[in-house]
Amino acid sequence: MAAQFGRRLRKGAATTAVAAVAVAALSASQAPGVNDHGRQAAADATPSPEASASDGSATGNSPYYTDLPPLKSPNPSPSTGPAPGGTGTTESGIPATVLDAYKRAETTLREAKPGCNLPWQLLAAIGRVESGQARGGRVDADGTTIKKILGPQLDGNGFALIKDTDDGAYDGNSSYDQAVGPMQFIPSTWAWAGRDGNGDGKKDPNNIYDAALAAGHYLCRNDWDLSQQGELDRAILSYNNSRDYLNLVMRWLEYYRKGTHEVPDGTGTLPDNRSDDGAGASPTPTTAGATTPAGSTPRPGPKPGKPGKPGKPGKPGKPAGGGTTTPKPPTTPPGTPSTPPTTPPTPTDTVDHLEDAGTAKLTAMAGDAFARRISTRAETEAGKAVAKVRVRFTIVGDTDTTFTGGEDVATVATNSSGVAVAPALQAGEKTGTVTVRATVVGRAVPGLDYKATVTERAADALARTGDAALTCAPGGTFANQVEVKATYKGAVADGVAATATLIKSADDPTVTDKGPYFKDADGKTVRTLTGLKTDAKGLLKLPELYADGTTGTFLLRVTTAGGATLTVELTVAAAETSSPSPSASPSA
């Protein structure tokens, strides 16, 4: 790690102790056991003794939210709506863009570090504890937080002492470092752990896609296998060096594993309590768009007077200390109603519906990439295009067709024309109709379905790979086997289904009952072969051919899906007998 941190000093130690007791009480109230996925229940997930705390952490051991998950299992019904600040099933709702970022990070890590076994629910648990899921999902279409989320400056005053390492580039503080973004990375950690999770060419700790992927890589370093409790403990402790933190993250991890659902961006529930809450400190704001950033220490109000000794009230119109008060002129005309500040709508809030943006017919052969892509336009009620909106494309139904890269879900932001273009589709081996559904991330508007057709692999041409004559004596075996090559529009046609049939004549394609034949697995005579397929090079080599006692010229016809046909002549003839040479005349 780029910087070494001192052992954590916490404000409000009493509050943290209370949180720890609450965790223990919650553990006792939940029955131990194993859930339906075979994982150890959180009540039994005791941190392993080997997982000792280290001095370093991703967050600089900054404060975190200590709210506990509800005792009631999430498992929301489809009709359950978001209710900011509520409890119960609303706690399991994760803002759409934030949830998408966690799941995308899990998918990426599954390929990059398959041995880590990172579950997206772990990222959700840490995101909940660190920033309340990006302050309830207050992010724009690209996944960047509407307002920066900053922890307190780590100046050694109740926290670790970490002097500035980034010249204020990330946290705006050129004296001390502060934890930054929805996953609360300190700048010195982000310098090496940062990732580009949304493919925009930048590594921004304020972007949930970048931060979630960085958190995943951070948790998967050191070849940790997070399916093992001991290594999971080490990974979580490395993120924030606190046993209370570990227990709390494990609670949220198990809660999200039992069920979660997507809610619109900006409507997630907001936490109330932090690990540094102390006497006299006002609670952290819990309304979306609050000006106090998560992790910042609110300024305490005026010190209260001693109990039982309130200040004496002054005479009406006079302050308590005597004298007169000159009223200040109003800043607004009398009678003007006060207007509460409102948060301007995001582009996503203005989307009324999705429209097809000129997608052409989508057809591809099995195994091929679709030549055309799906295009969707986000529009307002008046039909105006909406830019910077995230559109999610999902392949639904029983199919092995995917997007390029093997994913069945892709999220794309609309461009300045309001159009989102999905990645290219890659046809699988299952033929038929494939449905791709476009929806707006963070907005409950009807989805738009696209139909794509996967046809069977085909060839439009067949040719023999050799030109040797195919001849045989009656009752013998043909010396040469028939091999053909299939192509489609000049390219190799691999995996194409083919049929080989010995036919009566060029004008009569019915199966002949005499002449050359193949043998099946039992050695019986067959004159039609089905279920044949060309190999990766488009080649098809037929089994050996045999001849019965009938002589003459016979025809073998090979056909493929797509209509390619090749007819080959086979000759069965008796071997020629050589005539005896004339005797030499006797010499005189």
Side-chain angles (χ1 to χ4, degrees), residues 5 30-31 61 150 157 165 174 198 211 280 299 311 315 326 344 348 413 476 495 562 565:
F5 314 112
Q30 294 178 333
N61 296 328
L150 296 173
N157 183 22
T165 61
S174 59
N198 61 353
R299 294 181 180 275
K315 295 180 180 180
T326 303
T348 302
T565 301

Side-chain angles (χ1 to χ4, degrees), residues 142-164:
D142 296 320
T144 302
T145 56
I146 302 297
K147 296 181 179 180
K148 284 190 175 183
I149 301 175
L150 296 173
Q153 67 176 13
L154 301 174
D155 56 5
N157 183 22
F159 308 105
L161 173 60
I162 306 177
K163 294 186 177 181
D164 175 62

